[in-house]
Amino acid sequence: MDLRFTPEEIAFRNEARTFFEATLPPDIRRKQMLGQRLTRDDMVTWQRILNKKGWACPMWPKEYGGTGWDAVKYFIFKEEGYRAWAPDVLGHNIQNVGPVICAFGSDEQKAFFLPKLRNLDLWFCQGFSEPGSGSDLASLKTRAVREGDHYIVNGQKLWTSGGHHADWMYALVRTDTGVKKQAGISYLLFDMKTPGVQVRPVVTLDGHPYTNETFLDNVKVPVKNLVGEENKGWNYAKFLLGNERAGIARVGLTKARVRLAKALAERVYVDGAPMSENRQFREKLAAIEVELKALEITNMMVVAGMKKGGAKHDPRTSVLKIKGSEVQQASLECQMELAGPDAMARQVGFMEAKVADAIGREGMANSAPNYYFSRVLSIYGGSNEIQRNIIAKAVLGL
Amino acid sequence: MDLRFTSEDIAFRNEARSFFESNLPPHIRRKQILGQRLPKEDVVAWQRILNKKGWACPMWPTEYGGTGWDAVRYYIFKEESCRAYAPDPLSHNIQQTGPVICAYGTDEQKAFFLPKLRNLDIWFCQGFSEPGSGSDLASLKTRAVRDGDDYIVNGQKLWTTNGHRADWMYCLVRTDTGVKKQAGISYLLIDMKTPGVQVRPVVTLDGDHHTNETFFDNVRVPARNLIGEENKGWGYAKFLLGNERAGIAKVGLSKARISLIKALAQRMQVEGAPLSENRRFREKLALIETELQALEMTNMVVVAGMKKSGGNRQDPRTSVLKIKGSELQQATTELMLEVGGPHSMAHQHEFLEALTDNAIGPDWAGTAAPNYFFGRAVSIFGGSNEIQHNIVAKAVLGL
Amino acid sequence: MDFDLSEEQRMLKESVDRLLEDRYSFEQRKTYTKAPDGWSRELWQQYADLGLLSVPFDSKYGGFGGGPVETMILMEAFGAALVLEPYFATVTLFGGCVRIAGTEAQKDALLPKIGEGKLLGAFAHSERNSRYDLADVQTTAKKDGSDWVLDGEKTVVIHGDCADKLIVSGRISGGQRDKDGIGLFLVDAKAPGVTRKGYPTQDSLRAADITLKGVKVAAGDMLGESGKAFPIIERVAQSAIQALSAEAVGGMQEMLDITVEYLKTRHQFGVPIGSFQALQHRAVDMLVATEQARSMAMFAAMMVDEKDDAERAKAINAVKVHIGKSGRYVGQQSIQLHGGIGMTLEYKVGHYFIRSTMIEILFGDTDHHLAALARAGGLIAPGTTA
Ligand SMILES: Cc1cc2nc3c(=O)[nH]c(=O)nc-3n(C[C@H](O)[C@H](O)[C@H](O)COP(=O)(O)OP(=O)(O)OC[C@H]3O[C@@H](n4cnc5c(N)ncnc54)[C@H](O)[C@@H]3O)c2cc1C
Ligand SMILES: Cc1cc2nc3c(=O)[nH]c(=O)nc-3n(C[C@H](O)[C@H](O)[C@H](O)COP(=O)(O)OP(=O)(O)OC[C@H]3O[C@@H](n4cnc5c(N)ncnc54)[C@H](O)[C@@H]3O)c2cc1C
């Protein structure tokens, strides 16, 4: 047992650190630190920088542009990215539809989509959830009926995040109603410009139109855009679960936030002394750091197990999801507490980086909306209650 | 709305306060402050002092010895009692089987039992739970079969607290197996000296003998000891369990513990300064006090509602009182142990039992650990906190 | 990075697991508590025969040459079995002092004997007023010719009742809470002037309050340099916390397993209580806490030998905070989910709860370590702002 990184891993860490420091555009870094929303262009710029370096989609099979890293290296890459305030890449492209196409797509689909996904020439959104189907995703109702070389799709998706930026959607649709709910679902790709697709913004608590409703009205989707086999879509969607284990807890991001909070605390005065000297504040942060350290080690154990080719479903993955979201939420809560009255002005323009100057201290101006938005971390991607159900069943046998 | 006590209430509070201060025997008070167990004679002695004053069973109907107080008065009485470190009266007598006998007993039962319950001439224990029937109490299996003028009782009860001290047990038994489980239960009073009753101690985490298993082997119980009607026992039990609402949160007890903790913290040195000056410790206490204040307000609202409605409406907030009340009682025992720290590591059974005055280490810390351990039970018995959550979900939230 | 055990470590784990499986059922343990010392001398010899008592000692002294990972393996197993024998007192604390600060001669004289099971030791450091302050020493050590004379009282000395030898801290100079001026002394437990009052602790272990009245110690029986013992005491306390963290994890895992098993077998309302989602989620939260605590026990193993004093101290603070919190949570929930049966000493789970409560107190509780960690600036260095 050796809990330290190998010299080779340390060399890689240094390489990644230098890369991020040297190539992350300062304006993006600044937005990230200030907790501002990135524009579509910001996302594309950064993704293309990564792609040029060959680090656009590390965990894809090598023949499609993956780096061939093991899980530990990937973990290091993610951690260093967070450390430098690099944005998360567009998960829908890189962690979701990309790997599914790599695994189940036709040669034609691979050739067409994969290079574009890597380079963010095509922006994908996810059409899974529906008004009546959230945690119980398999109950989804959006219908796709085969007509010659097309599927005709009708229904409604909810929570299509980034739908307004997107060129394409990967969607789960019902192609067979006569069977067990999981068995009648297919995985379709379609162009958002297809007639009949209508996107309506849904503004989240932070005041930003992060997500959307998408209405599908007799949308004609060529059959060649079906991924894999008809009615096997549920398996492809499930294949994704557990795909993003190494980075799920975002330890590095929370660390970066704690570092930032400590720096900010030096400038906020409470009862005549900087908050950084305030005992209660320090203890609160220290308590978060303790949880975070435990999470980091758990994360390292999971990736070390993955590197060894251990069980795909390490029960600790759900621990990473539950604790990871809780600790992220705690760190953002703490940042808002630090801001105090500075958190009160509602300044969506500054949050969206459309306005240059913040009301109050800029470093804390977005702390309230970011706190609100962080509540989603325990809801999406399988809510924390669903994670508990999974552990209760799969690990504890209850 | 007026959140203050009336001037009469305040006068009563003062009366109660001086009564407790001048009548609680100092040796009992001392044990209470030290968190020691009271021997039977202390509990009896105190009950008789209350009885002499006419305060033995405040909430019973006045014709059986009750005081006629409304819920607010009773609440004040309980609070003042806690404040003075007076022991709780034996609830099995006063809050549980006493009111059941008042409400459903025969004249003969009333005449025989009630004066003795008040004066603790007879000590009752409760025989409800069984090995297979805890939260799901109605599933109980102890059988009582009618045989002439007697019932023959067979079965086993578990968790008979004070069974080893008790003269009598009030017991739920199954008298009909052919019906819905709640409909076949009867409420019997059993003399613990009856042949076939056997009590075996069950030692709890504090190392103490509070509770027992009780075995019934062909125990003959005269049918005149049946309360009310046969197979109606479940209704009486429910009446009994809903009875102790005003005092369930034990706000006064938690308050008394906090005062005590504050006093001790002044004496305890931590890294060169008294613990009472330690900021983190003070903040922790302040948080508990805030919760306690909220609980006290809720408690008053419930109590005031009872006063208005004559006390017969089941207020679902009672469950909130139970949940929060037990959590705060536990928080105070936890904090007490944190104050004790290493001083509370020694296992000192005799000191806990007040069989010796000499503690290992400071006496105030000698019972902190066992009382913390035992404190875990308050969220388990009397309807566990999970069951209370279920009740609130159903009755209040309509889930 | 590699979390797998080496072949040797696996063998160590197997041998201790096997022994405890054979000899440490809950019923067997009960009989050991009734022995005069409250633990089994016979098993102690078996530990010695298996080499467990010399695990952290160098092979020069007949030891196994193990490090923190080996300690973790043992302590986790001991925690799972609720072992009563004075391993922690003798090997971790007493042996730790000797290992860290002893001269060659002292190590030669003491470590092999510990390994052979022929010497029991205890660390007589804490006092009535010291609480968690390791520098708070009022027992005096006065020079008398070339000898030393100790006077004072030590409290809650773990397994001080049965120890053959004690390591006693005494103040040579300075004020009650000064870090400078403390010495460590090897004292025969039967030396004139030593009186011991033994008693059981809450968790069925044993401890003693020890009075020292004019106890003479030869110059050669001082450990480390005169007046410079504080850093040694700190190191030993840190090793102790590392060991306790592993023990705590062993206990937590056991509480979780016992509770989950109970949830599957206990029926109320005609169904296993484990079918109630409220209880399932609580059990999962116990698992999450246990896994996180395990990670911190690993962190402790990784950091306890760290060279940088400040980093090591902070890491150990963090470990104790987590172990304290998670142990309390898992302990309380294991009782709650059992209902009444969890409250009795006749049933296993409560004993783990009690032990984890005592572990939280030993060598500083959660508040103490959280405050220390916060004072030291936390684990993560401040960054820059935009
Ligand atoms: C900001 C945001 C962005 C999103 N982006 C996308 C996206 O891009 N594409 C997409 O397809 N979806 C997206 N989602 C949807 C997300 O996946 C769902 O919100 C999630 O699956 C939960 O479903 P729901 O919101 O319908 O809640 P529900 O499933 O209705 O759950 C409500 C509550 O009940 C609990 N619950 C449900 N079932 C159980 C159970 N069996 N046991 C215990 N508790 C249970 C839940 O944990 C939750 O607390 C997004 C959501 C948000 C808020
Ligand atoms: C110290 C002590 C003294 C006692 N004294 C007496 C006494 O004098 N007389 C007497 O008759 N009894 C007494 N009791 C028994 C007490 O009433 C029971 O312990 C209590 O009813 C819980 O039952 P159980 O212990 O069988 O736990 P169980 O009912 O088996 O419960 C185990 C766990 O499951 C949970 N659970 C059960 N059902 C549900 C559900 N539907 N949903 C969610 N969670 C659920 C519980 O909350 C608990 O966490 C005493 C108990 C203790 C600990």
Side-chain angles (χ1 to χ4, degrees):
Chain A
M1 181 144 70
D2 183 357
L3 308 176
R4 269 157 272 243
F5 289 124
T6 62
E8 198 208 329
E9 286 160 353
I10 289 175
F12 174 70
R13 190 186 65 191
N14 295 340
E15 184 194 348
R17 191 167 294 183
T18 322
F19 167 76
F20 285 117
E21 275 168 15
T23 56
L24 180 65
D27 62 315
I28 296 185
R29 179 180 144 89
R30 188 182 136 82
K31 285 184 190 173
Q32 287 278 98
M33 282 181 91
L34 290 176
Q36 292 177 320
R37 303 293 171 263
L38 299 183
T39 62
R40 190 184 200 276
D41 285 347
D42 291 334
M43 292 294 288
V44 172
T45 303
W46 177 237
Q47 183 64 29
R48 289 183 184 165
I49 292 170
L50 286 173
N51 198 22
K52 223 169 115 192
K53 171 78 177 170
W55 288 359
C57 46
M59 299 316 273
W60 292 10
K62 257 183 132 157
E63 65 261 47
Y64 305 126
T67 53
W69 294 336
D70 59 39
V72 174
K73 275 211 175 145
Y74 180 61
F75 173 70
I76 293 171
F77 165 78
K78 294 288 289 182
E79 291 292 295
E80 289 302 319
Y82 288 128
R83 191 169 191 280
W85 292 105
D88 270 324
V89 297
L90 182 66
H92 292 310
N93 277 27
I94 304 302
Q95 277 120 23
N96 286 305
V97 75
V100 168
I101 294 178
C102 291
F104 307 106
S106 63
D107 288 344
E108 195 193 333
Q109 286 168 344
K110 286 174 184 166
F112 178 79
F113 287 110
L114 294 179
K116 295 189 181 63
L117 285 171
R118 284 204 293 275
N119 206 43
L120 209 38
D121 296 335
L122 283 185
W123 182 301
F124 260 90
C125 66
Q126 180 188 55
F128 282 12
S129 308
E130 298 181 4
S133 305
S135 300
D136 180 15
L137 184 59
S139 68
L140 59 91
K141 292 204 179 64
T142 296
R143 268 299 256 150
V145 180
R146 178 87 182 241
E147 265 180 28
D149 285 344
H150 286 85
Y151 287 102
I152 310 295
V153 182
N154 276 293
Q156 181 191 349
K157 293 291 173 181
L158 187 55
W159 312 119
T160 8
S161 300
H164 50 304
H165 292 324
D167 306 299
W168 282 72
M169 176 185 279
Y170 60 100
L172 292 181
V173 293
R174 183 154 308 283
T175 37
D176 189 343
T177 52
V179 291
K180 194 163 142 279
K181 59 186 179 178
Q182 287 83 357
I185 295 173
S186 299
Y187 194 111
L188 270 190
L189 311 177
F190 58 82
D191 190 328
M192 295 292 278
K193 288 181 297 296
T194 321
V197 177
Q198 199 201 329
V199 174
R200 196 190 72 80
V202 173
V203 179
T204 40
L205 297 180
D206 55 347
H208 184 63
Y210 179 87
T211 190
N212 304 274
E213 291 183 285
T214 305
F215 300 91
L216 305 167
D217 181 17
N218 285 319
V219 178
K220 271 181 94 170
V221 179
V223 169
K224 68 171 198 290
N225 290 349
L226 174 74
V227 175
E229 291 175 50
E230 199 179 86
N231 296 328
K232 292 272 167 70
W234 187 250
N235 294 340
Y236 310 145
K238 265 196 0 200
F239 162 82
L240 285 178
L241 301 174
N243 217 2
E244 184 49 13
R245 279 174 291 168
I248 200 172
R250 293 162 131 191
V251 171
L253 178 60
T254 305
K255 269 193 190 168
R257 288 204 181 112
V258 170
R259 268 187 221 113
L260 178 64
K262 286 186 174 182
L264 292 170
E266 287 168 12
R267 301 207 228 133
V268 180
Y269 276 71
V270 187
D271 301 337
M275 194 69 148
S276 53
E277 310 276 295
N278 178 286
R279 184 165 162 166
Q280 197 181 24
F281 181 74
R282 290 174 80 126
E283 288 179 356
K284 207 173 237 179
L285 263 187
I288 293 176
E289 290 173 67
V290 170
E291 286 293 331
L292 189 58
K293 177 53 77 178
L295 187 65
E296 183 179 11
I297 309 266
T298 308
N299 207 339
M300 287 164 68
M301 283 164 52
V302 170
V303 296
M306 286 166 74
K307 178 176 172 179
K308 288 237 152 121
K312 182 166 179 203
H313 286 290
D314 188 326
R316 282 178 294 225
T317 311
S318 288
V319 175
L320 292 180
K321 174 75 185 6
I322 293 173
K323 268 285 159 189
S325 56
E326 287 176 2
V327 175
Q328 287 182 73
Q329 289 170 339
S331 71
L332 286 164
E333 235 172 293
C334 194
Q335 199 166 327
M336 186 182 63
E337 286 172 11
L338 177 63
D342 275 328
M344 291 185 70
R346 186 162 181 88
Q347 26 188 341
V348 175
F350 181 72
M351 183 182 76
E352 292 178 343
K354 290 176 182 154
V355 171
D357 295 320
I359 301 165
R361 293 181 183 83
E362 65 173 10
M364 293 176 245
N366 297 315
S367 56
N370 285 331
Y371 159 66
Y372 307 145
F373 193 74
S374 75
R375 301 315 305 169
V376 80
L377 295 168
S378 49
I379 297 174
Y380 63 20
S383 74
N384 280 11
E385 289 73 26
I386 296 295
Q387 300 297 335
R388 287 186 172 87
N389 290 348
I390 292 173
I391 302 183
K393 211 177 196 166
V395 184
L396 302 178
L398 290 171
Chain B
M1 183 154 77
D2 185 354
L3 303 177
R4 277 159 304 203
F5 287 128
T6 63
S7 49
E8 288 129 60
D9 289 337
I10 290 175
F12 174 71
R13 189 185 67 194
N14 295 340
E15 183 194 350
R17 190 168 295 181
S18 51
F19 168 77
F20 285 117
E21 273 167 17
S22 47
N23 287 283
L24 181 65
H27 70 281
I28 296 185
R29 181 178 145 87
R30 184 184 135 82
K31 285 178 198 164
Q32 289 279 99
I33 291 179
L34 289 176
Q36 292 173 318
R37 303 287 172 261
L38 298 182
K40 183 171 179 175
E41 59 273 18
D42 285 348
V43 181
V44 172
W46 176 237
Q47 185 64 29
R48 289 183 184 165
I49 292 170
L50 285 174
N51 199 21
K52 224 169 116 194
K53 170 79 178 169
W55 288 358
C57 45
M59 298 316 274
W60 292 10
T62 40
E63 66 260 46
Y64 305 124
T67 53
W69 293 337
D70 59 37
V72 174
R73 280 287 156 87
Y74 179 59
Y75 175 75
I76 293 172
F77 167 79
K78 295 293 283 184
E79 290 293 297
E80 289 302 320
S81 166
C82 289
R83 189 171 188 278
Y85 291 102
D88 270 334
L90 181 67
S91 75
H92 289 149
N93 277 27
I94 303 302
Q95 274 113 25
Q96 309 218 1
T97 210
V100 169
I101 295 175
C102 291
Y104 306 104
T106 60
D107 288 343
E108 194 192 336
Q109 287 166 342
K110 287 175 185 166
F112 179 78
F113 284 110
L114 294 179
K116 295 191 180 63
L117 284 171
R118 282 205 295 275
N119 206 44
L120 210 39
D121 296 334
I122 284 183
W123 183 303
F124 259 93
C125 65
Q126 180 191 58
F128 282 11
S129 307
E130 297 182 4
S133 305
S135 300
D136 181 13
L137 183 59
S139 68
L140 60 91
K141 294 203 177 62
T142 296
R143 269 297 258 149
V145 179
R146 186 74 184 240
D147 180 33
D149 284 345
D150 295 334
Y151 286 100
I152 313 286
V153 179
N154 278 292
Q156 182 191 349
K157 293 290 172 183
L158 188 54
W159 312 118
T160 2
T161 300
N162 283 323
H164 53 303
R165 289 172 165 183
D167 307 298
W168 283 74
M169 172 189 276
Y170 60 99
C171 190
L172 292 181
V173 292
R174 184 156 306 283
T175 36
D176 188 344
T177 53
V179 289
K180 195 164 141 285
K181 60 186 179 177
Q182 287 82 358
I185 294 173
S186 299
Y187 192 113
L188 270 188
L189 308 179
I190 301 174
D191 187 331
M192 296 295 277
K193 287 181 298 296
T194 321
V197 177
Q198 201 199 329
V199 174
R200 196 191 72 80
V202 173
V203 177
T204 39
L205 296 182
D206 54 348
D208 207 9
H209 174 197
H210 301 265
T211 193
N212 304 274
E213 292 182 284
T214 306
F215 299 90
F216 301 93
D217 182 14
N218 287 318
V219 176
R220 269 191 182 273
V221 180
R224 65 166 195 280
N225 291 344
L226 174 75
I227 295 285
E229 291 175 52
E230 199 178 85
N231 297 327
K232 292 273 167 69
W234 187 249
Y236 313 145
K238 272 193 7 197
F239 164 84
L240 167 161
L241 295 172
N243 228 334
E244 181 51 9
R245 281 171 286 168
I248 201 170
K250 299 203 171 174
V251 172
L253 178 64
S254 292
K255 274 194 191 164
R257 278 215 197 101
I258 286 179
S259 312
L260 182 63
I261 288 170
K262 286 188 171 174
L264 294 172
Q266 287 171 356
R267 289 202 244 146
M268 175 93 205
Q269 293 285 313
V270 178
E271 289 162 21
L275 183 60
S276 55
E277 311 277 293
N278 180 291
R279 195 161 152 173
R280 188 170 165 80
F281 178 76
R282 292 170 78 130
E283 287 166 353
K284 214 175 213 178
L285 259 180
L287 272 180
I288 296 180
E289 288 173 68
T290 315
E291 290 276 330
L292 200 55
Q293 184 62 49
L295 183 65
E296 187 172 16
M297 289 311 296
T298 312
N299 207 339
M300 311 255 252
V301 172
V302 170
V303 164
M306 286 165 68
K307 177 176 172 178
K308 285 235 163 95
S309 72
N312 289 323
R313 204 166 42 89
Q314 181 75 29
D315 187 333
R317 271 175 301 203
T318 313
S319 287
V320 176
L321 295 179
K322 172 76 183 6
I323 293 169
K324 269 287 154 191
S326 60
E327 285 174 3
L328 286 169
Q329 286 176 64
Q330 291 174 336
T332 56
T333 57
E334 240 170 291
L335 200 57
M336 186 77 196
L337 177 58
E338 286 175 28
V339 176
H343 293 321
S344 301
M345 289 184 71
H347 177 74
Q348 10 189 358
H349 186 67
E350 303 211 320
F351 182 72
L352 180 68
E353 294 272 2
L355 301 174
T356 169
D357 273 345
N358 300 323
I360 299 167
D363 56 9
W364 57 264
T367 63
N371 284 333
Y372 164 62
F373 300 145
F374 193 70
R376 302 316 303 170
V378 298
S379 52
I380 295 174
F381 55 41
S384 75
N385 279 14
E386 288 74 22
I387 295 294
Q388 302 297 337
H389 278 91
N390 290 349
I391 292 173
V392 175
K394 222 180 192 159
V396 184
L397 305 176
L399 291 172
Chain C
M1 193 165 66
D2 178 6
F3 290 87
D4 292 345
L5 299 180
S6 69
E7 192 50 38
E8 265 192 330
Q9 289 166 341
R10 206 171 12 249
M11 279 164 59
L12 177 67
K13 180 167 162 49
E14 274 166 20
S15 70
V16 63
D17 284 349
R18 197 171 327 117
L19 176 69
L20 296 177
E21 183 155 340
D22 281 357
R23 303 295 309 274
Y24 244 96
S25 71
F26 185 58
E27 290 309 313
Q28 286 166 319
R29 180 180 178 275
K30 252 188 224 163
T31 64
Y32 307 149
T33 61
K34 297 197 179 100
D37 295 315
W39 51 273
S40 162
R41 294 250 170 196
E42 188 231 321
L43 265 176
W44 189 249
Q45 198 49 54
Q46 290 211 30
Y47 297 152
D49 295 345
L50 283 170
L52 305 185
L53 301 183
S54 63
V55 158
F57 306 143
D58 201 280
S59 54
K60 249 200 295 192
Y61 314 108
F64 184 89
V69 173
E70 283 74 12
T71 297
M72 182 175 82
I73 291 169
L74 277 191
M75 291 303 289
E76 193 175 333
F78 288 167
L82 287 171
V83 159
L84 300 157
E85 284 68 35
Y87 181 90
F88 178 69
T90 296
V91 179
T92 308
L93 295 175
F94 183 93
C97 288
V98 176
R99 185 169 58 87
I100 291 165
T103 60
E104 282 305 308
Q106 287 166 336
K107 290 184 195 170
D108 271 333
L110 299 168
L111 297 183
K113 275 200 184 156
I114 293 176
E116 289 160 19
K118 300 210 169 73
L119 176 67
L120 300 174
F123 182 42
H125 176 55
S126 55
E127 300 181 358
R128 180 73 68 232
N129 292 316
S130 62
R131 200 169 162 93
Y132 306 129
D133 183 354
L134 293 175
D136 191 333
V137 176
Q138 282 180 292
T139 296
T140 57
K142 298 212 175 77
K143 203 85 189 189
D144 177 23
S146 67
D147 292 348
W148 294 92
V149 179
L150 303 179
D151 283 282
E153 200 196 349
K154 297 291 180 181
T155 55
V156 208
V157 177
I158 304 296
H159 280 121
D161 59 327
C162 61
D164 303 308
K165 276 193 187 299
L166 309 169
I167 290 175
V168 180
S169 56
R171 180 154 298 285
I172 298 170
S173 64
Q176 182 183 338
R177 300 182 50 239
D178 286 350
K179 290 182 179 169
D180 275 341
I182 304 171
L184 283 180
F185 303 90
L186 270 166
V187 175
D188 199 293
K190 299 212 171 65
V194 176
T195 41
R196 295 188 280 180
K197 180 174 161 202
Y199 49 81
T201 47
Q202 299 294 335
D203 46 14
S204 308
L205 266 60
R206 297 292 174 98
D209 288 357
I210 301 179
T211 312
L212 304 129
K213 268 216 185 86
V215 176
K216 277 206 186 306
V217 183
D221 283 338
M222 173 179 274
L223 272 170
E225 277 179 67
S226 168
K228 298 262 187 303
F230 182 72
I232 306 169
I233 294 169
E234 238 181 354
R235 284 303 294 255
V236 170
Q238 289 164 349
S239 316
I241 290 172
Q242 188 247 319
L244 289 174
S245 69
E247 184 188 343
V249 168
M252 282 184 234
Q253 183 67 51
E254 214 44 44
M255 288 191 268
L256 174 63
D257 291 346
I258 295 169
T259 302
V260 168
E261 186 53 35
Y262 192 73
L263 292 180
K264 288 178 190 169
T265 44
R266 170 75 174 170
H267 284 65
Q268 288 290 277
F269 304 101
V271 293
I273 57 174
S275 63
F276 300 127
Q277 196 180 48
L279 304 190
Q280 291 178 356
H281 285 197
R282 205 84 60 79
V284 170
D285 287 337
M286 290 170 69
L287 172 133
V288 171
T290 303
E291 285 303 330
Q292 291 286 81
R294 186 188 315 286
S295 293
M296 287 312 264
M298 301 250 182
F299 185 53
M302 180 165 123
M303 294 300 288
V304 72
D305 286 340
E306 164 67 40
K307 300 272 180 314
D308 182 322
D309 290 339
E311 287 304 310
R312 185 180 64 244
K314 288 195 292 182
I316 296 295
N317 290 147
V319 168
K320 195 65 172 37
V321 168
H322 202 289
I323 291 294
K325 270 193 202 168
S326 45
R328 193 187 290 199
Y329 181 77
V330 172
Q332 292 181 349
Q333 295 311 323
S334 71
I335 304 299
Q336 183 67 26
L337 297 197
H338 274 85
I341 194 75
M343 285 298 302
T344 81
L345 283 177
E346 293 172 27
Y347 188 75
K348 227 166 42 167
V349 84
H351 294 259
Y352 290 95
F353 164 59
I354 291 176
R355 177 62 187 155
S356 73
T357 306
M358 293 301 112
I359 288 178
E360 189 181 348
I361 292 175
L362 282 169
F363 289 93
D365 67 7
T366 305
D367 281 357
H368 169 82
H369 285 281
L370 184 64
L373 178 62
R375 265 198 310 272
L379 295 169
I380 298 171
T384 54
T385 55

